[in-house]
Amino acid sequence: MEEKVIVCKDLTKRFGDFYAVNKISFEVDKGEIFGFLGANGAGKTTAMRILCGLSHPTSGEAMVAGFDVYKQAEEIKKNIGYMSQKFSLYENLTVLENIEFFGGVYGVPYAEIRRRSDNLVQQLGLTAEAKKLVGALPLGWKQKLAFSVAIFHQPRIVFLDEPTGGVDPVTRRQFWDMIYEAAASGITIFVTTHYMDEAEYCNRITIMVDGKVEALDSPANLKAQFKADNMDEVFYRLARGAKRSGD
Amino acid sequence: MRVLRYLLKKEFRQIFRDKIILAMMFAMPTIQLIIFPLAMNFDVKSVNIAVVDNDHSSYSQQLVAKIGASGYFKIVAAEPSFQSAIRYIETEKADVLLEIPPNFESHLIREGKQRIGVSVDAINGTKAAIGGNYLLMVIADFNKDIPVNMGRNMAAPAGMIDIAYSNWFNPLAEYRFYVVPAILVLLLTLIGGSMSALNIVREKEVGTIEQINVTPIQKWEFILGKLIPFWVVGMIVFTIGLLVAWGVYGIWPVGSFVTLYVFAAVYMVALLGFGLLISTYTSNQLQAMFVAFFFVMIFMLMSGLFTSVDSMPPWAKLIANLTPVTHFIRVIRMIVLKGSGFADVYMELLYLGLFAIVLNGWAIFNYRKTS
């Protein structure tokens, strides 16, 4: 049996009488690329924030990396990486300083930080920019750097919230190469996206509509199930009925 | 501890990379200390006075001459009537109006007493009150000389009390001695109360705080990581302030430096806690700025920087004592000007310590990694 790194059952988040996330249940296997799709306002980010320990659920159960989101949020944080919608490295620190800081707070030993960051900078082709402020880098490079920093401490799971928003197609392609590489090394990828071509890259995808999980399967099975040629059609069919409008 | 080291490294890098903050760290104490004490001069000199002499006698002229010679007054007008002289007050050309009635001299000589009219423009309350007082002193002095000049009633002023007045701790009663220590407090208050708040709220605005909240960094590590750098900045600015006060005004603390720095250190922790508290309640820099400004304003106005806390009504005194600023201003004046020792001021240290604990405790309690 495959190891389950995320298990959630009837997970709910309510703000007043608004159910941002309404009784969602799913499981994610180790090393899987798990896509999380949905229109704006469908509840993707809220669900992801709960799993990262940034937000308390209202009810339901969730285990991430074997830890309970209610009681062991801090344990979860040690075992995950997170890349938010907003770019959130420090723009007034250099590339190397950002890597050092985030590596350091996750407890990577200093010598190891030095060794790994040299490799990383080389891989990303940022050798010339290593000592430049991150704020001066183009968006695509920033996003690749942010992803690398999110997996720098070799977490068990990495959560990516719309990581390729606003990025050009070539960089997106490179970004997904990095995701595959990380998945191959055993890191579970939990990714939200708007791009249906990206959905095709995932092992399995979940489509959320109005806070609920409406579909969960591999892209091929979903297309068969909805008798659609591509993921776009699948998504339209499900999202058309949505009552919540985008933000 | 390891995590804290990385946090501190990051904060110091960011602070010292910011050229504006760096420049402000030196410019703020220097400029404020040079400008404020000179501008906030409450010593009243050159009170403009308009005179209406209805008597035109040698006594009335002597009185006017004495006033003119006192050094505090500038006679801006000699008018024939009260109605024309009051115009000077109305147009703010004069602060005080002195009206000498007809038959001033003859009444003084024959009856031994005479009333004269003094009208002051109370819009600039301080200048008017002090100017009015000076005028009364000059008149009293003039009054005292009359019997002597008259060569009669020589025994009359028996038992008159002559007051020998001396100003302790500030012999020339110069206002800058009163203001300069308070400006030092103002500097620490601005840094502690707003810089830390703005810094954390900026992380909220930019979104980096979320990245921090998703790491295993503990609450206390994050907060110490923010407090320590600004505490260091505060101490540097305080030291620069002391040097400027010495260089420009020759004010060198009479009391012990250790006591002074112990107080400054605890005060800084209290104010940083206050800034931190603001940052936990606000979500953008504009809000934080506004809230910090509002409170710092109240703190400063109530603190005894401008007015004496002792002469406030009881309710105001209570509020004044509920701000840490009041306590620190009181202490810093005692240490710098009077040379008060630790034994004289240790109660104030307890108060400041209490503020530090309450404000920081509240801030830590209110800071949430998970919403």
Side-chain angles (χ1 to χ4, degrees):
Chain A
M1 193 185 104
E2 287 208 67
E3 193 190 340
K4 307 283 182 201
V5 286
I6 302 176
V7 180
C8 52
K9 197 159 174 280
D10 295 336
L11 196 65
T12 301
K13 177 78 181 186
R14 186 164 53 88
F15 297 104
D17 53 7
F18 174 78
Y19 286 85
V21 173
N22 196 354
K23 290 198 169 181
I24 59 170
S25 304
F26 58 83
E27 293 177 349
V28 181
D29 297 324
K30 182 173 187 293
E32 190 175 18
I33 300 176
F34 191 82
F36 218 56
L37 276 63
N40 288 329
K44 299 181 309 266
T45 300
T46 310
M48 182 180 267
R49 287 172 53 87
I50 293 172
L51 297 177
C52 292
L54 284 173
S55 177
H56 287 300
T58 312
S59 63
E61 290 163 30
M63 301 285 278
V64 177
F67 299 104
D68 184 358
V69 291
Y70 288 97
K71 291 176 222 135
Q72 295 165 301
E74 293 306 304
E75 288 301 316
I76 291 175
K77 287 172 185 175
K78 284 180 194 161
N79 288 289
I80 61 167
Y82 173 70
M83 181 180 164
S84 75
Q85 256 170 14
K86 270 187 177 177
F87 175 73
S88 50
L89 296 182
Y90 289 96
E91 304 228 333
N92 54 0
L93 290 181
T94 67
V95 173
L96 285 178
E97 286 166 353
N98 266 296
I99 299 174
E100 182 192 315
F101 172 68
F102 284 104
V105 298
Y106 277 109
V108 181
Y110 188 70
E112 186 68 16
I113 293 178
R114 294 298 300 272
R115 196 181 61 75
R116 275 195 231 165
S117 52
D118 283 346
N119 285 342
L120 178 62
V121 166
Q122 237 163 30
Q123 275 172 22
L124 290 174
L126 287 175
T127 319
E129 282 79 17
K131 293 204 164 100
K132 282 197 188 146
L133 296 189
V134 163
L137 297 181
L139 181 69
W141 293 15
K142 282 184 187 172
Q143 294 300 81
K144 285 196 274 183
L145 180 64
F147 176 70
S148 307
V149 169
I151 58 167
F152 188 80
H153 58 289
Q154 296 168 342
R156 296 180 59 192
I157 310 161
V158 64
F159 291 88
L160 310 172
D161 195 1
E162 289 173 25
T164 53
V167 170
D168 68 77
V170 178
T171 313
R172 257 171 64 199
R173 185 68 232 195
Q174 292 168 345
F175 196 91
W176 274 89
D177 286 342
M178 291 171 70
I179 290 179
Y180 272 111
E181 211 175 298
S185 76
I187 298 176
T188 306
I189 315 282
F190 187 105
V191 55
T192 71
T193 181
H194 281 310
Y195 299 106
M196 290 306 135
D197 58 327
E198 289 187 351
E200 306 261 11
Y201 302 147
C202 300
N203 298 125
R204 282 196 305 153
I205 50 178
T206 289
I207 298 178
M208 271 188 89
V209 180
D210 288 351
K212 291 193 176 113
V213 171
E214 290 294 332
L216 199 181
D217 214 326
S218 67
N221 288 349
L222 282 176
K223 279 186 278 190
Q225 186 188 334
F226 287 89
K227 298 187 176 58
D229 296 332
N230 53 39
M231 282 309 299
D232 263 345
E233 265 185 71
V234 176
F235 186 75
Y236 279 127
R237 239 170 252 177
L238 285 167
R240 210 166 30 201
K243 287 176 190 69
R244 292 183 201 160
S245 56
D247 48 9
Chain B
M1 271 304 135
R2 238 181 66 88
V3 172
L4 183 59
R5 219 180 57 218
Y6 282 104
L7 278 165
L8 290 177
K9 207 165 165 184
K10 167 207 152 233
E11 292 297 335
F12 276 114
R13 272 173 174 160
Q14 288 179 311
I15 292 175
F16 288 106
R17 186 161 288 157
D18 193 328
K19 296 283 179 301
I20 293 184
I21 290 184
L22 220 53
M24 282 299 282
M25 269 171 63
F26 292 91
M28 199 164 81
T30 316
I31 294 173
Q32 289 198 354
L33 273 168
I34 291 173
I35 292 178
F36 279 14
L38 295 177
M40 284 174 31
N41 193 340
F42 284 0
D43 297 340
V44 174
K45 284 184 185 118
S46 71
V47 177
N48 294 322
I49 185 166
V51 178
V52 183
D53 186 354
N54 292 317
D55 194 35
H56 300 289
S57 60
S58 68
Y59 262 35
S60 70
Q61 270 157 28
Q62 266 180 41
L63 177 59
V64 172
K66 195 175 171 73
I67 290 167
S70 69
Y72 295 110
F73 295 98
K74 208 169 105 197
I75 298 173
V76 288
E79 285 295 313
S81 71
F82 181 83
Q83 280 72 19
S84 61
I86 199 79
R87 287 289 306 148
Y88 282 86
I89 297 252
E90 283 167 359
T91 54
E92 301 209 322
K93 286 183 186 129
D95 306 302
V96 183
L97 190 160
L98 173 73
E99 189 185 17
I100 301 171
N103 305 322
F104 172 72
E105 187 180 64
S106 54
H107 276 172
L108 258 185
I109 294 169
R110 252 184 256 135
E111 293 165 28
K113 62 179 180 190
Q114 174 60 52
R115 299 177 83 94
I116 59 174
V118 174
S119 312
V120 295
D121 174 9
I123 287 178
N124 182 345
T126 318
K127 201 169 184 186
I130 295 175
N133 263 327
Y134 285 164
L135 191 57
L136 294 185
M137 272 156 66
V138 174
I139 294 169
D141 201 38
F142 179 75
N143 217 359
K144 203 172 69 184
D145 293 339
I146 295 170
V148 181
N149 289 346
M150 290 302 297
R152 59 169 200 174
N153 290 341
M154 285 297 277
M160 190 148 97
I161 299 171
D162 196 15
I163 299 167
Y165 203 80
S166 62
N167 294 307
W168 278 60
F169 310 118
N170 184 2
L172 299 174
E174 282 184 79
Y175 201 70
R176 61 179 197 207
F177 281 92
Y178 190 66
V179 174
V180 167
I183 300 290
L184 291 174
V185 178
L186 179 69
L187 288 170
L188 287 189
T189 309
L190 284 173
I191 291 171
S194 58
M195 264 175 85
S196 60
L198 287 178
N199 180 287
I200 296 174
V201 172
R202 203 179 112 201
E203 291 222 19
K204 278 194 196 178
E205 253 180 34
V206 179
T208 45
I209 195 122
E210 192 153 284
Q211 201 65 47
I212 295 285
N213 287 344
V214 84
T215 66
I217 295 175
Q218 311 222 328
K219 250 188 191 185
W220 66 268
E221 288 169 330
F222 177 74
I223 285 175
L224 274 184
K226 289 290 180 191
L227 286 189
I228 294 172
F230 288 107
W231 184 87
V232 170
V233 169
M235 289 297 121
I236 294 174
V237 169
F238 185 68
T239 307
I240 296 173
L242 279 177
L243 289 174
V244 172
W246 171 67
V248 177
Y249 301 100
I251 297 176
W252 189 249
V254 184
S256 125
F257 268 91
V258 177
T259 319
L260 194 60
Y261 270 87
V262 166
F263 271 93
V266 176
Y267 178 74
M268 201 61 204
V269 175
L271 259 288
L272 285 168
F274 169 75
L276 216 59
L277 186 60
I278 291 180
S279 76
T280 62
Y281 279 105
T282 51
S283 53
N284 60 55
Q285 292 187 74
L286 196 64
Q287 287 175 357
M289 191 72 188
F290 211 43
V291 175
F293 189 71
F294 170 73
F295 280 105
V296 167
M297 195 84 156
I298 293 182
F299 284 1
M300 294 323 292
L301 291 176
M302 300 294 288
S303 66
L305 172 60
F306 305 104
T307 51
S308 163
V309 174
D310 290 331
S311 52
M312 287 179 185
W315 61 267
K317 218 184 262 187
L318 184 72
I319 296 176
N321 279 314
L322 286 175
T323 79
V325 190
T326 311
H327 294 276
F328 191 43
I329 285 193
R330 189 179 299 152
V331 163
I332 200 169
R333 281 190 179 133
M334 286 171 80
I335 298 174
V336 173
L337 303 180
K338 278 192 192 176
S340 302
F342 187 73
D344 303 314
V345 291
Y346 77 95
M347 269 311 285
E348 300 291 334
L349 189 63
L350 290 184
Y351 283 128
L352 286 180
L354 203 64
F355 278 114
I357 292 168
V358 169
L359 289 169
N360 282 290
W362 187 355
I364 292 171
F365 174 78
N366 211 40
Y367 172 67
R368 293 265 176 274
K369 276 186 80 180
T370 309
S371 58

